[in-house]
Structures are given as C-alpha cells and as structure tokens.
Amino acid sequence: GQAYCWLGENEKAQIILEEALQKPGENHLIVLQLIALYHKSGNSSAWQALLDRRLVSVNDLMESGDSFFYQENYSAALDWYRIALFSEPSLKLVWERWQSIGLKYENKKDWQQASAVYQAALEYQEQLGLAPFRASFLFRLGVNLERLGDSANKDAAGHYYDQAIADGYFLDETDL
C-alpha cells in the first residue's frame, strides 16, 4: 500500500490498505495512511468513520502533523491538525501549533500566507463553535494584513484589531 502511495496510485493503495486493515494485529499506521488518502481525496465521511472507530489516538494524529511541521510542510501539518481537531476540538496543543505555523510564515515575511493561516483558523473555529486563541488570531491577522500595505488591507486590519481587543486581547511591548 505504501509503495502505491509513493507512486501516486492512490486507488490501488486504498484497496490494499483497506484489505490490510481487516487483518488482526497492530494497524494504527495503516489507519493513518488511510486517513491521509481519504482526506486527500476529499472523502471526509471515510476518515471520520475511521476516527469514530478509535483505531488511532489524537496523539497519533498530532504526531503525524508534527512530523510535517518540523519538515516545514505547514500545509500538510495543518491538514493533520484539522483531523485531530475533529477528534478533540478543544485540544489546546493543536491551536498552539496552528498559531506557530502563522508565526513561522511571519518570520519568513510571507504576510499573505500568514494571513491565510490565521483566517483559516478563525473560520475553522467558527465551524466548530470554539474560540481558543481567537483574540490572538484576530490580532495576528490584523498585523499581517497591515503589513501587506494596501489601503483595503489596512482598513481590514483595523477591524481585526478592534475585534481582538473586544475579545480580550491585551497589547504588550512585543506587539508595538
């Protein structure tokens, strides 16, 4: 199954991995590979069903995300963190990693990508009905929009700053 994944033959890989999952024994790596394949193909009901069966832990999902995070493949890391949040939406560590990815893009002076990361976090929180780190995400989004420099983004930045402060964000000397 893994070889077919590397070759990009995802349908063949999926068939083999699904068959292997039916066999007894330790299979959490097979489950993780299937979750990745289902996620990549947009089959959310299939990966959600695997999560519902509790064949892997949230820690397994976080470790998968972290492996991509440390390789600086932030898009893939965010995919795994989204899946982990489906299992445990209030998991603080996921939201901390998400913010870290935004800060990594800021350190690279990629304001557009950092803005996209914070915007995605806010949208995902809204879908889940949660708000951990919301004020911080709002503030960081405002900072990056302001850095993009055009007047429309600067106006939007002011709106996000106001929201962040209304949500309890407190400025400190590092924000100035």
Side-chain angles (χ1 to χ4, degrees):
Q2 184 68 35
Y4 282 122
C5 287
W6 290 331
L7 294 171
E9 296 187 32
N10 294 338
E11 290 179 18
K12 288 181 182 177
Q14 183 177 323
I15 291 168
I16 289 171
L17 291 169
E18 286 172 347
E19 289 173 2
L21 186 59
Q22 303 307 315
K23 297 177 181 173
E26 180 63 36
N27 56 19
H28 83 279
L29 294 176
I30 293 169
V31 173
L32 289 171
Q33 189 65 51
L34 275 170
I35 289 171
L37 283 171
Y38 292 147
H39 188 268
K40 187 176 182 179
S41 70
N43 189 347
S44 61
S45 61
W47 64 257
Q48 290 171 4
L50 283 175
L51 292 179
D52 290 344
R53 290 172 56 191
R54 305 278 185 225
L55 300 172
V56 292
S57 69
V58 173
N59 288 337
D60 293 329
L61 300 170
M62 287 298 298
E63 286 174 10
S64 295
D66 288 347
S67 69
F68 287 106
F69 178 85
Y70 295 121
Q71 295 171 37
E72 297 185 14
N73 184 343
Y74 302 127
S75 177
L78 285 173
D79 286 342
W80 282 104
Y81 296 152
R82 283 184 185 97
I83 292 169
L85 285 170
F86 180 83
S87 287
E88 196 172 323
S90 61
L91 189 63
K92 182 180 176 187
L93 182 60
V94 177
W95 297 112
E96 289 172 353
R97 289 287 200 287
W98 205 311
Q99 183 163 343
S100 293
I101 290 171
L103 293 170
K104 294 282 187 183
Y105 284 120
E106 287 185 52
N107 290 337
K108 294 179 178 189
K109 299 189 183 331
D110 189 344
W111 320 130
Q112 189 72 43
Q113 194 61 42
S115 297
V117 167
Y118 297 129
Q119 184 67 48
L122 291 165
E123 290 170 3
Y124 204 60
Q125 285 184 345
E126 189 172 316
Q127 288 174 14
L128 296 173
L130 298 170
F133 292 85
R134 176 179 157 77
S136 181
F137 288 140
L138 288 165
F139 184 79
R140 300 302 329 152
L141 179 57
V143 166
N144 286 281
L145 289 174
E146 186 173 358
R147 288 173 174 165
L148 289 171
D150 61 73
S151 62
N153 281 322
K154 285 187 178 187
D155 290 343
H159 169 75
Y160 288 113
Y161 290 144
D162 291 344
Q163 277 189 291
I165 292 168
D167 277 16
Y169 190 84
F170 293 101
L171 295 174
D172 64 28
E173 63 276 356
T174 62
D175 294 323
L176 303 175

